[in-house]
Amino acid sequence: MTTLMQSDVLSRHLRRHVPLENKVAVITGAASGIGREIALTFAREGARVVIADLDRDAAEATACDIDPHAKRALAIAMDVTDEAQVEAGIYRAIETFGRIDVLISNAGIQTIAPVVDLEFAKWKKLMSVHLDGAFLTTRAALRQMYRQKSGSVIYIGSVHSKEASPLKAPYVTAKHGLIGLAKVVAREGGAHGVRSNVICPGFVRTPLVEKQIPEQARELGISEEDVVRTVMLKETVDGEFTTAADVAETAAFLAAFPSNALTGQSIVVSHGWSMQ
């Protein structure tokens, strides 16, 4: 057998054993940041991806980057806090691809303020995006996953699912809440072949984090450089930011895991910022 023939046989063998090949993944907040990186990674692994995002144009641009022929990527405008939009978006995903194998609940926002000054409206908005959004998308996706008797729900939490930082009361509270939701979904979903886990990233230099740097500098009375050095990276083992690729690879691992042995868990990806 020639080297070229051996390579072709190996290539075909690997394609047959790619765990995410032709799986359907719905990813919220997928037009930018961590969500976009997850979508790109899943697409490279052979999955069909649904880019659900509040920004329709950005969602369509990401879907086009993945597949300009619109056969393996679908853009959906979705406000995860709107029940009707979530139900319609999940229905369209199923109508287009026939199933949902993975839900990545990633959409999120941030608010920086001490508790004593925090506006109730901002508290409620953040809770709605993170927790209502996670609930609504999970409920809609589970109905299809239960019919299939298979599925994986992955929540993008944070090191703040485990730890607390000043100025982030609603964010810390919401991210802790995702762990509770994931555990319930794991308990209820196990009999239906559905797993549920949480990824808890450290600081990833996304637009969300970039916005926080000057906000925290003002609140703490320190320089932006000190925010990065003494707040965001001080507790890491190497002074490095977590990358979107780090999170995406972890999501691919969780999505492809073959059994209920790994469910109801939270995995910290933070360069040691938080250790268990």
Side-chain angles (χ1 to χ4, degrees):
M1 185 182 290
T2 67
T3 301
L4 182 60
M5 290 174 65
Q6 289 172 330
S7 175
D8 184 56
V9 169
L10 177 61
S11 176
R12 290 200 305 271
H13 173 79
L14 289 174
R15 283 199 299 271
R16 285 198 299 270
H17 291 82
V18 174
L20 295 181
E21 186 75 34
N22 289 323
K23 298 293 186 182
V24 178
V26 176
I27 307 156
T28 67
S32 63
I34 290 171
R36 175 182 165 86
E37 188 64 30
I38 292 172
L40 293 171
T41 298
F42 275 50
R44 284 195 297 269
E45 293 293 322
R48 293 170 288 176
V49 294
V50 178
I51 313 299
D53 201 280
L54 194 63
D55 187 334
R56 179 191 295 273
D57 291 342
E60 290 177 348
T62 297
C64 186
D65 287 343
I66 291 170
D67 180 9
H69 303 294
K71 293 181 179 179
R72 303 192 65 83
L74 171 68
I76 293 177
M78 182 187 291
D79 177 350
V80 296
T81 70
D82 185 310
E83 183 177 12
Q85 284 193 33
V86 170
E87 293 288 338
I90 295 297
Y91 177 83
R92 187 177 172 209
I94 297 166
E95 186 180 44
T96 301
F97 293 129
R99 59 189 295 115
I100 296 176
D101 299 290
V102 186
L103 169 68
I104 310 282
S105 178
N106 166 74
I109 60 174
Q110 179 61 283
T111 293
I112 301 296
V115 172
V116 70
D117 296 326
L118 182 62
E119 297 174 30
F120 187 35
K122 290 184 177 180
W123 168 278
K124 289 192 291 184
K125 181 177 180 181
L126 188 143
M127 289 295 175
S128 183
V129 172
H130 287 266
L131 293 181
D132 294 351
F135 162 71
L136 290 171
T137 53
T138 297
R139 186 183 64 178
L142 282 182
R143 291 167 179 154
Q144 175 63 29
M145 291 177 176
Y146 282 11
R147 285 192 289 269
Q148 300 165 187
K149 294 294 184 181
S150 65
S152 175
V153 180
I154 301 171
Y155 301 97
I156 304 302
S158 167
V159 287
H160 289 105
S161 296
K162 306 283 188 175
E163 312 283 354
S165 291
L167 310 176
K168 297 182 178 180
Y171 187 82
V172 171
T173 303
K175 292 301 189 182
H176 273 67
L178 288 178
I179 289 182
L181 176 59
K183 288 179 177 179
V184 173
V185 173
R187 289 289 186 194
E188 294 182 358
H192 303 277
V194 175
R195 295 176 294 106
S196 173
N197 294 286
V198 186
I199 301 173
C200 302
F203 287 96
V204 180
R205 203 135 193 184
T206 61
L208 194 69
V209 168
E210 292 289 355
K211 180 175 178 290
Q212 290 178 52
I213 295 174
E215 291 174 344
Q216 290 201 52
R218 286 193 300 272
E219 290 287 349
L220 297 172
I222 60 178
S223 69
E224 293 185 18
E225 292 76 14
D226 281 341
V227 169
V228 171
R229 183 174 58 85
T230 68
V231 176
M232 294 184 170
L233 301 181
K234 180 181 178 181
E235 301 300 327
T236 64
V237 298
D238 52 12
E240 296 290 339
F241 279 97
T242 303
T243 68
D246 294 331
V247 182
E249 291 296 333
T250 306
F253 166 73
L254 288 173
F257 200 80
S259 78
N260 278 345
L262 183 51
T263 192
Q265 304 303 311
S266 50
I267 298 178
V268 179
V269 184
S270 70
H271 287 250
W273 194 97
S274 176
M275 296 186 182
Q276 298 174 293

